Amino acid sequence: MITSLRLKLPTWVPAEIQRARTCDTDTKKISLAVRLSAKNVGEKSGGPFGAAVFARGGELVSAGVNCVVGQHCFAAHAEVMALMLAQRRLRVSRLCDAPGAPYVLASSAQPCAMCVGALAWSGISTLLFGARRRDVQALAGFDEGPVAADWESELAERGIHVRGGILRQRAAAVLREYAASGGILY
């Protein structure tokens, strides 16, 4: 019987984020997330998704990429990995309770059903994303699950501001590349 769980990011991630210690604009935050997603595809280390958590001044707190297949864990989405690593680093279960709040999550793509649920309890104040749900489904073939039509207003009611479509074309190009390379759908 297995009684513990350990999830790891690919070994290339620390070097990739080393040059992005501070991202002072939304575009720079999404640019990092998209760069992580592209590297994940290029390295064949996971799906075409990247995410990062930033503190109030734009300081990078954590980063994540999709590790579902490599880690044998459906929950190892980029957003969840970045959020869990930020919570672990800051030693809080909700980011709004940590020094440096409010926190921003930047994702290369609009979150799926699971990740939208995780956002509601994560303690972030802002979600930024690149590619839209329809891009993820049409270009890469992923099933994003049953996301409510009013998901953005549901998050807004919980104090989470949402801004999407940032660098959408760059993020969509990564999805196209993943599909063209025969990437696994999970």
Side-chain angles (χ1 to χ4, degrees), residues 94-126:
R94 289 184 43 88
L95 293 173
C96 56
D97 296 333
Y103 289 89
V104 173
L105 175 71
S107 177
S108 63
Q110 181 176 331
C112 70
M114 178 184 70
C115 293
V116 168
L119 294 175
W121 291 289
S122 69
I124 63 162
S125 65
T126 304

PDB file of all heavy atoms in Angstrom, residues 94-126:
ATOM      1  N   ARG A  94      -3.680  28.688   2.446  1.00  0.00           N
ATOM      2  CA  ARG A  94      -4.352  29.658   1.564  1.00  0.00           C
ATOM      3  C   ARG A  94      -3.397  30.836   1.368  1.00  0.00           C
ATOM      4  O   ARG A  94      -2.916  31.415   2.344  1.00  0.00           O
ATOM      5  CB  ARG A  94      -5.682  30.125   2.147  1.00  0.00           C
ATOM      6  CG  ARG A  94      -6.744  29.023   2.116  1.00  0.00           C
ATOM      7  CD  ARG A  94      -8.104  29.477   2.593  1.00  0.00           C
ATOM      8  NE  ARG A  94      -8.547  30.763   2.112  1.00  0.00           N
ATOM      9  CZ  ARG A  94      -9.231  30.971   0.959  1.00  0.00           C
ATOM     10  NH1 ARG A  94      -9.526  29.969   0.189  1.00  0.00           N
ATOM     11  NH2 ARG A  94      -9.625  32.175   0.636  1.00  0.00           N
ATOM     12  N   LEU A  95      -3.148  31.171   0.125  1.00  0.00           N
ATOM     13  CA  LEU A  95      -2.162  32.210  -0.170  1.00  0.00           C
ATOM     14  C   LEU A  95      -2.553  33.576   0.374  1.00  0.00           C
ATOM     15  O   LEU A  95      -1.678  34.387   0.672  1.00  0.00           O
ATOM     16  CB  LEU A  95      -1.903  32.281  -1.676  1.00  0.00           C
ATOM     17  CG  LEU A  95      -1.217  31.033  -2.238  1.00  0.00           C
ATOM     18  CD1 LEU A  95      -1.146  31.099  -3.755  1.00  0.00           C
ATOM     19  CD2 LEU A  95       0.162  30.853  -1.636  1.00  0.00           C
ATOM     20  N   CYS A  96      -3.832  33.827   0.543  1.00  0.00           N
ATOM     21  CA  CYS A  96      -4.254  35.123   1.090  1.00  0.00           C
ATOM     22  C   CYS A  96      -3.817  35.302   2.541  1.00  0.00           C
ATOM     23  O   CYS A  96      -3.808  36.424   3.057  1.00  0.00           O
ATOM     24  CB  CYS A  96      -5.761  35.305   0.952  1.00  0.00           C
ATOM     25  SG  CYS A  96      -6.734  33.992   1.715  1.00  0.00           S
ATOM     26  N   ASP A  97      -3.405  34.224   3.195  1.00  0.00           N
ATOM     27  CA  ASP A  97      -2.957  34.294   4.583  1.00  0.00           C
ATOM     28  C   ASP A  97      -1.444  34.496   4.708  1.00  0.00           C
ATOM     29  O   ASP A  97      -0.922  34.590   5.820  1.00  0.00           O
ATOM     30  CB  ASP A  97      -3.338  33.005   5.320  1.00  0.00           C
ATOM     31  CG  ASP A  97      -4.840  32.823   5.411  1.00  0.00           C
ATOM     32  OD1 ASP A  97      -5.564  33.837   5.395  1.00  0.00           O
ATOM     33  OD2 ASP A  97      -5.290  31.660   5.470  1.00  0.00           O
ATOM     34  N   ALA A  98      -0.742  34.556   3.585  1.00  0.00           N
ATOM     35  CA  ALA A  98       0.721  34.654   3.611  1.00  0.00           C
ATOM     36  C   ALA A  98       1.195  36.093   3.485  1.00  0.00           C
ATOM     37  O   ALA A  98       0.530  36.918   2.855  1.00  0.00           O
ATOM     38  CB  ALA A  98       1.306  33.834   2.464  1.00  0.00           C
ATOM     39  N   PRO A  99       2.347  36.400   4.062  1.00  0.00           N
ATOM     40  CA  PRO A  99       2.951  37.714   3.810  1.00  0.00           C
ATOM     41  C   PRO A  99       3.187  37.868   2.310  1.00  0.00           C
ATOM     42  O   PRO A  99       3.451  36.897   1.619  1.00  0.00           O
ATOM     43  CB  PRO A  99       4.290  37.644   4.555  1.00  0.00           C
ATOM     44  CG  PRO A  99       4.130  36.533   5.539  1.00  0.00           C
ATOM     45  CD  PRO A  99       3.158  35.563   4.930  1.00  0.00           C
ATOM     46  N   GLY A 100       3.073  39.077   1.807  1.00  0.00           N
ATOM     47  CA  GLY A 100       3.255  39.306   0.376  1.00  0.00           C
ATOM     48  C   GLY A 100       1.970  39.276  -0.408  1.00  0.00           C
ATOM     49  O   GLY A 100       1.961  39.517  -1.609  1.00  0.00           O
ATOM     50  N   ALA A 101       0.862  38.945   0.266  1.00  0.00           N
ATOM     51  CA  ALA A 101      -0.431  38.905  -0.414  1.00  0.00           C
ATOM     52  C   ALA A 101      -0.796  40.314  -0.869  1.00  0.00           C
ATOM     53  O   ALA A 101      -0.349  41.296  -0.258  1.00  0.00           O
ATOM     54  CB  ALA A 101      -1.503  38.343   0.524  1.00  0.00           C
ATOM     55  N   PRO A 102      -1.531  40.455  -1.919  1.00  0.00           N
ATOM     56  CA  PRO A 102      -2.228  39.420  -2.689  1.00  0.00           C
ATOM     57  C   PRO A 102      -1.318  38.733  -3.700  1.00  0.00           C
ATOM     58  O   PRO A 102      -0.310  39.293  -4.121  1.00  0.00           O
ATOM     59  CB  PRO A 102      -3.328  40.205  -3.400  1.00  0.00           C
ATOM     60  CG  PRO A 102      -2.767  41.571  -3.575  1.00  0.00           C
ATOM     61  CD  PRO A 102      -1.884  41.812  -2.384  1.00  0.00           C
ATOM     62  N   TYR A 103      -1.721  37.514  -4.086  1.00  0.00           N
ATOM     63  CA  TYR A 103      -0.962  36.703  -5.025  1.00  0.00           C
ATOM     64  C   TYR A 103      -1.714  36.553  -6.340  1.00  0.00           C
ATOM     65  O   TYR A 103      -2.947  36.541  -6.369  1.00  0.00           O
ATOM     66  CB  TYR A 103      -0.660  35.326  -4.427  1.00  0.00           C
ATOM     67  CG  TYR A 103       0.351  35.426  -3.329  1.00  0.00           C
ATOM     68  CD1 TYR A 103      -0.034  35.644  -2.010  1.00  0.00           C
ATOM     69  CD2 TYR A 103       1.704  35.351  -3.613  1.00  0.00           C
ATOM     70  CE1 TYR A 103       0.905  35.783  -1.003  1.00  0.00           C
ATOM     71  CE2 TYR A 103       2.658  35.485  -2.615  1.00  0.00           C
ATOM     72  CZ  TYR A 103       2.242  35.699  -1.317  1.00  0.00           C
ATOM     73  OH  TYR A 103       3.179  35.855  -0.336  1.00  0.00           O
ATOM     74  N   VAL A 104      -0.928  36.428  -7.408  1.00  0.00           N
ATOM     75  CA  VAL A 104      -1.455  36.298  -8.769  1.00  0.00           C
ATOM     76  C   VAL A 104      -1.019  34.949  -9.326  1.00  0.00           C
ATOM     77  O   VAL A 104       0.144  34.565  -9.177  1.00  0.00           O
ATOM     78  CB  VAL A 104      -0.889  37.417  -9.679  1.00  0.00           C
ATOM     79  CG1 VAL A 104      -1.293  37.211 -11.133  1.00  0.00           C
ATOM     80  CG2 VAL A 104      -1.329  38.778  -9.177  1.00  0.00           C
ATOM     81  N   LEU A 105      -1.952  34.260  -9.978  1.00  0.00           N
ATOM     82  CA  LEU A 105      -1.608  33.052 -10.721  1.00  0.00           C
ATOM     83  C   LEU A 105      -1.680  33.391 -12.199  1.00  0.00           C
ATOM     84  O   LEU A 105      -2.712  33.869 -12.675  1.00  0.00           O
ATOM     85  CB  LEU A 105      -2.566  31.903 -10.418  1.00  0.00           C
ATOM     86  CG  LEU A 105      -2.323  30.646 -11.270  1.00  0.00           C
ATOM     87  CD1 LEU A 105      -1.034  29.954 -10.855  1.00  0.00           C
ATOM     88  CD2 LEU A 105      -3.494  29.687 -11.181  1.00  0.00           C
ATOM     89  N   ALA A 106      -0.593  33.152 -12.920  1.00  0.00           N
ATOM     90  CA  ALA A 106      -0.550  33.324 -14.369  1.00  0.00           C
ATOM     91  C   ALA A 106      -0.480  31.939 -14.991  1.00  0.00           C
ATOM     92  O   ALA A 106       0.379  31.133 -14.630  1.00  0.00           O
ATOM     93  CB  ALA A 106       0.669  34.143 -14.779  1.00  0.00           C
ATOM     94  N   SER A 107      -1.394  31.661 -15.914  1.00  0.00           N
ATOM     95  CA  SER A 107      -1.474  30.361 -16.558  1.00  0.00           C
ATOM     96  C   SER A 107      -1.429  30.527 -18.071  1.00  0.00           C
ATOM     97  O   SER A 107      -2.019  31.466 -18.613  1.00  0.00           O
ATOM     98  CB  SER A 107      -2.771  29.655 -16.150  1.00  0.00           C
ATOM     99  OG  SER A 107      -2.888  28.423 -16.821  1.00  0.00           O
ATOM    100  N   SER A 108      -0.770  29.602 -18.736  1.00  0.00           N
ATOM    101  CA  SER A 108      -0.679  29.682 -20.195  1.00  0.00           C
ATOM    102  C   SER A 108      -2.033  29.493 -20.858  1.00  0.00           C
ATOM    103  O   SER A 108      -2.224  29.907 -21.999  1.00  0.00           O
ATOM    104  CB  SER A 108       0.315  28.647 -20.724  1.00  0.00           C
ATOM    105  OG  SER A 108      -0.111  27.337 -20.434  1.00  0.00           O
ATOM    106  N   ALA A 109      -2.983  28.895 -20.149  1.00  0.00           N
ATOM    107  CA  ALA A 109      -4.309  28.638 -20.720  1.00  0.00           C
ATOM    108  C   ALA A 109      -5.388  28.789 -19.653  1.00  0.00           C
ATOM    109  O   ALA A 109      -5.114  28.688 -18.454  1.00  0.00           O
ATOM    110  CB  ALA A 109      -4.368  27.233 -21.318  1.00  0.00           C
ATOM    111  N   GLN A 110      -6.592  29.011 -20.117  1.00  0.00           N
ATOM    112  CA  GLN A 110      -7.750  29.095 -19.233  1.00  0.00           C
ATOM    113  C   GLN A 110      -7.853  27.797 -18.444  1.00  0.00           C
ATOM    114  O   GLN A 110      -7.765  26.716 -19.014  1.00  0.00           O
ATOM    115  CB  GLN A 110      -9.013  29.302 -20.071  1.00  0.00           C
ATOM    116  CG  GLN A 110     -10.283  29.439 -19.278  1.00  0.00           C
ATOM    117  CD  GLN A 110     -11.475  29.744 -20.187  1.00  0.00           C
ATOM    118  OE1 GLN A 110     -11.332  30.349 -21.230  1.00  0.00           O
ATOM    119  NE2 GLN A 110     -12.636  29.309 -19.767  1.00  0.00           N
ATOM    120  N   PRO A 111      -8.027  27.861 -17.145  1.00  0.00           N
ATOM    121  CA  PRO A 111      -8.065  26.652 -16.331  1.00  0.00           C
ATOM    122  C   PRO A 111      -9.233  25.724 -16.661  1.00  0.00           C
ATOM    123  O   PRO A 111     -10.327  26.169 -17.004  1.00  0.00           O
ATOM    124  CB  PRO A 111      -8.196  27.185 -14.897  1.00  0.00           C
ATOM    125  CG  PRO A 111      -7.656  28.569 -14.971  1.00  0.00           C
ATOM    126  CD  PRO A 111      -8.044  29.072 -16.328  1.00  0.00           C
ATOM    127  N   CYS A 112      -8.971  24.427 -16.532  1.00  0.00           N
ATOM    128  CA  CYS A 112      -9.999  23.402 -16.720  1.00  0.00           C
ATOM    129  C   CYS A 112     -10.928  23.383 -15.507  1.00  0.00           C
ATOM    130  O   CYS A 112     -10.753  24.152 -14.551  1.00  0.00           O
ATOM    131  CB  CYS A 112      -9.332  22.039 -16.892  1.00  0.00           C
ATOM    132  SG  CYS A 112      -8.558  21.421 -15.367  1.00  0.00           S
ATOM    133  N   ALA A 113     -11.896  22.476 -15.534  1.00  0.00           N
ATOM    134  CA  ALA A 113     -12.874  22.376 -14.451  1.00  0.00           C
ATOM    135  C   ALA A 113     -12.197  22.139 -13.096  1.00  0.00           C
ATOM    136  O   ALA A 113     -12.535  22.783 -12.100  1.00  0.00           O
ATOM    137  CB  ALA A 113     -13.868  21.260 -14.742  1.00  0.00           C
ATOM    138  N   MET A 114     -11.235  21.225 -13.045  1.00  0.00           N
ATOM    139  CA  MET A 114     -10.564  20.928 -11.782  1.00  0.00           C
ATOM    140  C   MET A 114      -9.811  22.145 -11.263  1.00  0.00           C
ATOM    141  O   MET A 114      -9.880  22.479 -10.078  1.00  0.00           O
ATOM    142  CB  MET A 114      -9.594  19.756 -11.947  1.00  0.00           C
ATOM    143  CG  MET A 114      -8.838  19.431 -10.675  1.00  0.00           C
ATOM    144  SD  MET A 114      -7.620  18.130 -10.863  1.00  0.00           S
ATOM    145  CE  MET A 114      -6.380  18.941 -11.863  1.00  0.00           C
ATOM    146  N   CYS A 115      -9.099  22.812 -12.154  1.00  0.00           N
ATOM    147  CA  CYS A 115      -8.275  23.946 -11.734  1.00  0.00           C
ATOM    148  C   CYS A 115      -9.125  25.146 -11.320  1.00  0.00           C
ATOM    149  O   CYS A 115      -8.748  25.869 -10.391  1.00  0.00           O
ATOM    150  CB  CYS A 115      -7.285  24.309 -12.830  1.00  0.00           C
ATOM    151  SG  CYS A 115      -6.038  23.012 -13.072  1.00  0.00           S
ATOM    152  N   VAL A 116     -10.261  25.357 -11.966  1.00  0.00           N
ATOM    153  CA  VAL A 116     -11.170  26.430 -11.540  1.00  0.00           C
ATOM    154  C   VAL A 116     -11.603  26.173 -10.102  1.00  0.00           C
ATOM    155  O   VAL A 116     -11.616  27.076  -9.270  1.00  0.00           O
ATOM    156  CB  VAL A 116     -12.389  26.568 -12.471  1.00  0.00           C
ATOM    157  CG1 VAL A 116     -13.454  27.467 -11.857  1.00  0.00           C
ATOM    158  CG2 VAL A 116     -11.971  27.112 -13.826  1.00  0.00           C
ATOM    159  N   GLY A 117     -11.919  24.919  -9.784  1.00  0.00           N
ATOM    160  CA  GLY A 117     -12.286  24.575  -8.414  1.00  0.00           C
ATOM    161  C   GLY A 117     -11.155  24.829  -7.443  1.00  0.00           C
ATOM    162  O   GLY A 117     -11.361  25.381  -6.355  1.00  0.00           O
ATOM    163  N   ALA A 118      -9.944  24.481  -7.831  1.00  0.00           N
ATOM    164  CA  ALA A 118      -8.785  24.696  -6.956  1.00  0.00           C
ATOM    165  C   ALA A 118      -8.548  26.187  -6.716  1.00  0.00           C
ATOM    166  O   ALA A 118      -8.178  26.590  -5.605  1.00  0.00           O
ATOM    167  CB  ALA A 118      -7.547  24.057  -7.569  1.00  0.00           C
ATOM    168  N   LEU A 119      -8.770  26.996  -7.741  1.00  0.00           N
ATOM    169  CA  LEU A 119      -8.556  28.441  -7.601  1.00  0.00           C
ATOM    170  C   LEU A 119      -9.434  29.038  -6.517  1.00  0.00           C
ATOM    171  O   LEU A 119      -9.004  29.930  -5.787  1.00  0.00           O
ATOM    172  CB  LEU A 119      -8.838  29.155  -8.925  1.00  0.00           C
ATOM    173  CG  LEU A 119      -7.904  28.830 -10.078  1.00  0.00           C
ATOM    174  CD1 LEU A 119      -8.391  29.515 -11.347  1.00  0.00           C
ATOM    175  CD2 LEU A 119      -6.488  29.217  -9.760  1.00  0.00           C
ATOM    176  N   ALA A 120     -10.664  28.556  -6.423  1.00  0.00           N
ATOM    177  CA  ALA A 120     -11.615  29.110  -5.455  1.00  0.00           C
ATOM    178  C   ALA A 120     -11.104  29.000  -4.022  1.00  0.00           C
ATOM    179  O   ALA A 120     -11.433  29.845  -3.189  1.00  0.00           O
ATOM    180  CB  ALA A 120     -12.968  28.414  -5.598  1.00  0.00           C
ATOM    181  N   TRP A 121     -10.292  27.992  -3.731  1.00  0.00           N
ATOM    182  CA  TRP A 121      -9.808  27.785  -2.365  1.00  0.00           C
ATOM    183  C   TRP A 121      -8.321  28.072  -2.205  1.00  0.00           C
ATOM    184  O   TRP A 121      -7.767  27.933  -1.121  1.00  0.00           O
ATOM    185  CB  TRP A 121     -10.100  26.349  -1.913  1.00  0.00           C
ATOM    186  CG  TRP A 121     -11.570  26.137  -1.728  1.00  0.00           C
ATOM    187  CD1 TRP A 121     -12.342  26.658  -0.729  1.00  0.00           C
ATOM    188  CD2 TRP A 121     -12.427  25.406  -2.573  1.00  0.00           C
ATOM    189  NE1 TRP A 121     -13.642  26.279  -0.914  1.00  0.00           N
ATOM    190  CE2 TRP A 121     -13.731  25.509  -2.046  1.00  0.00           C
ATOM    191  CE3 TRP A 121     -12.252  24.674  -3.739  1.00  0.00           C
ATOM    192  CZ2 TRP A 121     -14.831  24.905  -2.626  1.00  0.00           C
ATOM    193  CZ3 TRP A 121     -13.349  24.081  -4.321  1.00  0.00           C
ATOM    194  CH2 TRP A 121     -14.610  24.200  -3.762  1.00  0.00           C
ATOM    195  N   SER A 122      -7.665  28.490  -3.261  1.00  0.00           N
ATOM    196  CA  SER A 122      -6.217  28.673  -3.211  1.00  0.00           C
ATOM    197  C   SER A 122      -5.770  29.914  -2.453  1.00  0.00           C
ATOM    198  O   SER A 122      -4.659  29.965  -1.954  1.00  0.00           O
ATOM    199  CB  SER A 122      -5.661  28.746  -4.633  1.00  0.00           C
ATOM    200  OG  SER A 122      -6.086  29.953  -5.255  1.00  0.00           O
ATOM    201  N   GLY A 123      -6.621  30.944  -2.439  1.00  0.00           N
ATOM    202  CA  GLY A 123      -6.248  32.193  -1.785  1.00  0.00           C
ATOM    203  C   GLY A 123      -5.604  33.205  -2.708  1.00  0.00           C
ATOM    204  O   GLY A 123      -5.080  34.215  -2.244  1.00  0.00           O
ATOM    205  N   ILE A 124      -5.652  32.960  -4.036  1.00  0.00           N
ATOM    206  CA  ILE A 124      -5.125  33.963  -4.961  1.00  0.00           C
ATOM    207  C   ILE A 124      -6.134  35.105  -5.104  1.00  0.00           C
ATOM    208  O   ILE A 124      -7.320  34.939  -4.824  1.00  0.00           O
ATOM    209  CB  ILE A 124      -4.790  33.386  -6.354  1.00  0.00           C
ATOM    210  CG1 ILE A 124      -6.054  32.865  -7.047  1.00  0.00           C
ATOM    211  CG2 ILE A 124      -3.697  32.351  -6.274  1.00  0.00           C
ATOM    212  CD1 ILE A 124      -5.908  32.688  -8.532  1.00  0.00           C
ATOM    213  N   SER A 125      -5.654  36.255  -5.561  1.00  0.00           N
ATOM    214  CA  SER A 125      -6.546  37.390  -5.767  1.00  0.00           C
ATOM    215  C   SER A 125      -6.788  37.656  -7.247  1.00  0.00           C
ATOM    216  O   SER A 125      -7.765  38.302  -7.604  1.00  0.00           O
ATOM    217  CB  SER A 125      -5.974  38.653  -5.130  1.00  0.00           C
ATOM    218  OG  SER A 125      -4.784  39.019  -5.795  1.00  0.00           O
ATOM    219  N   THR A 126      -5.882  37.166  -8.104  1.00  0.00           N
ATOM    220  CA  THR A 126      -5.991  37.413  -9.540  1.00  0.00           C
ATOM    221  C   THR A 126      -5.570  36.179 -10.320  1.00  0.00           C
ATOM    222  O   THR A 126      -4.583  35.531  -9.975  1.00  0.00           O
ATOM    223  CB  THR A 126      -5.096  38.597  -9.961  1.00  0.00           C
ATOM    224  OG1 THR A 126      -5.455  39.745  -9.197  1.00  0.00           O
ATOM    225  CG2 THR A 126      -5.235  38.914 -11.440  1.00  0.00           C
TER     226      THR A 126
END
